[in-house]
Amino acid sequence: MSSVTDSEATINAFTNAIRPSFNYFVVNTAFSACLFTLFLVLLALSTNESRRRLVFRLNLLAICLVLTMGALMGLTTGKAVVDPFNQVSTGVFVTGITFLVFPPLLYDSILLTRLLALYPPSSTAAATLVKILAFPLCIKCARVVIITIGLRSYIGSGMTTEALVQDEPAIWFRNPYLIAEWTMQIVDNMYSVSLFLYNLHIRTSSIKRARGIADRIRQIFYISVANFIFPLVLNIAQIIFAATDRSPFTGGVLPLINNYVTVMGVLCATLWFSGSEWVRTCSEPLPEHMLNSPKPNVGGPVTGGKSGSTIVSIGKGPVTHDTTGLDNGTDPKQLHPGEKE
């Protein structure tokens, strides 16, 4: 009877020892699969024009970094589950931690590039660019210094993977470097998003009457807010748990989820724009029967096939002149000269 009890105790102890790594592995695998699926959709919907943009390439770099992080974390936690007495090397473990804490700087920089769409370097005074970019660049430099100091402090606490894993509770609980990094990340993102949305509102107030443009601006606003809100909530949760919870699992899984959620938010925004461009590209050649309608109400050939409008008016129905003209950057009245007849 005692042997059975000893066996059950051994099994329970082994299960409790590998449970954090197993849960971590499941969470990492689920988010990696979702991100990889979105990555394939992005490649399928992207056009040659969108692939040449800087934001698209930065998104690809961010996705590759996160997938690399997922592979390293999966290798580390999977090895801890399968063979807990022979874990990965210290180099692999430290590399995984590095990919966990440094890439958020790149994700925040991608959000910062949206300001360059409102302030193009080629047409904006250098003094104005310095005023706009000085604060986010300084705070990013401070974040790099804090992350580097914190990472070196963590690596110096142990020379083996087992020692580093054992020190995780002490490193996670009320770590001043982690709390400072997450606080500055909140401030950094709040500055970029607030400035972008404010300037978007100011510069587009004169074209609110154009329904298509207004709808698109509203969608951009919602996407920008969503890209800020979800990482903000997770950053606040990280700070709260770091100050109250000693569990190393919480300290590892929250930054992991935050990385995935941040990249997925940026990726979904890119997917939305890529999907719109893909639909526009596929709909460029108008169907033959639409051009040869027996009762056309259009006095001239339809130009501007790359218009963002998805409504084609035949006959005496309403015509979306405002959206079409604004999307093409031309006068709407010049697109339909026969309408006055």
Side-chain angles (χ1 to χ4, degrees):
M1 188 68 179
S2 60
S3 62
V4 175
T5 305
D6 294 339
S7 299
E8 291 179 355
T10 302
I11 293 175
N12 291 334
F14 177 78
T15 303
N16 293 330
I18 68 173
R19 181 179 288 117
S21 297
F22 178 77
N23 293 337
Y24 200 96
F25 180 82
V26 171
V27 172
N28 178 69
T29 303
F31 277 97
S32 295
C34 294
L35 182 62
F36 185 72
T37 302
L38 291 175
F39 174 62
L40 295 180
V41 175
L42 175 64
L43 293 180
L45 294 180
S46 61
T47 61
N48 292 331
E49 179 182 355
S50 65
R51 295 190 192 103
R52 289 193 294 267
R53 295 175 181 170
L54 175 62
V55 174
F56 183 87
R57 297 175 181 178
L58 290 176
N59 285 336
L60 289 184
L61 177 59
I63 294 171
C64 292
L65 289 176
V66 174
L67 291 178
T68 303
M69 178 199 70
L72 292 171
M73 291 299 176
L75 175 62
T76 302
T77 55
K79 191 70 178 300
V81 172
V82 177
D83 190 6
F85 302 103
N86 186 22
Q87 299 190 24
V88 296
S89 63
T90 306
V92 174
F93 185 83
V94 172
T95 303
I97 298 298
T98 303
F99 273 87
L100 180 65
V101 296
F102 271 107
L105 289 167
L106 174 63
Y107 316 150
D108 299 338
S109 300
I110 294 176
L111 297 178
L112 185 63
T113 57
R114 294 181 301 185
L115 291 176
L116 298 180
L118 299 177
Y119 297 95
S122 58
S123 58
T124 305
T128 303
L129 289 177
V130 170
K131 293 178 182 178
I132 295 172
L133 300 178
F135 177 78
L137 292 179
C138 289
I139 201 170
K140 283 178 173 57
C141 292
R143 290 174 60 186
V144 170
V145 173
I146 288 179
I147 293 175
T148 303
I149 295 175
L151 186 60
R152 290 189 62 181
S153 174
Y154 175 61
I155 296 174
S157 64
M159 299 302 296
T160 63
T161 302
E162 290 78 8
L164 293 175
V165 172
Q166 291 177 359
D167 290 339
E168 282 183 351
I171 295 297
W172 155 257
F173 186 64
R174 296 181 180 178
N175 189 305
Y177 302 111
L178 292 177
I179 294 177
E181 150 62 12
W182 296 330
T183 303
M184 286 193 294
Q185 185 178 5
I186 292 175
V187 176
D188 189 6
N189 291 340
M190 187 176 296
Y191 171 84
S192 300
V193 173
S194 300
L195 185 60
F196 173 77
L197 294 180
Y198 174 76
N199 282 274
L200 185 68
H201 171 73
I202 295 299
R203 297 184 180 221
T204 58
S205 59
S206 60
I207 57 174
K208 284 185 177 179
R209 294 182 180 180
R211 181 178 179 84
I213 299 296
D215 292 340
R216 182 171 289 253
I217 292 173
R218 191 178 300 110
Q219 291 171 347
I220 294 174
F221 174 83
Y222 291 147
I223 290 174
S224 300
V225 171
N227 287 344
F228 170 69
I229 291 297
F230 290 111
L232 172 65
V233 172
L234 288 173
N235 277 335
I236 294 176
Q238 288 176 167
I239 295 174
I240 293 175
F241 280 104
T244 60
D245 192 352
R246 293 180 178 270
S247 173
F249 172 72
T250 305
V253 75
L254 280 179
L256 179 76
I257 294 177
N258 197 359
N259 275 316
Y260 280 113
V261 170
T262 303
V263 174
M264 286 181 179
V266 177
L267 181 56
C268 287
T270 307
L271 279 174
W272 179 77
F273 287 107
S274 298
S276 301
E277 289 189 355
W278 183 79
V279 172
R280 185 194 68 183
T281 303
C282 293
S283 60
E284 279 183 4
L286 295 177
E288 190 70 21
H289 68 278
M290 294 179 65
L291 295 176
N292 298 329
S293 176
K295 295 180 179 182
N297 195 33
V298 182
V302 179
T303 60
K306 293 185 179 181
S307 172
S309 176
T310 58
I311 301 176
V312 178
S313 178
I314 303 295
K316 298 182 179 181
V319 182
T320 58
H321 294 296
D322 292 340
T323 304
T324 304
L326 288 172
D327 285 347
N328 287 320
T330 57
D331 187 357
K333 296 179 181 180
Q334 296 178 359
L335 297 177
H336 302 277
E339 196 177 46
K340 297 181 180 179
E341 296 178 358

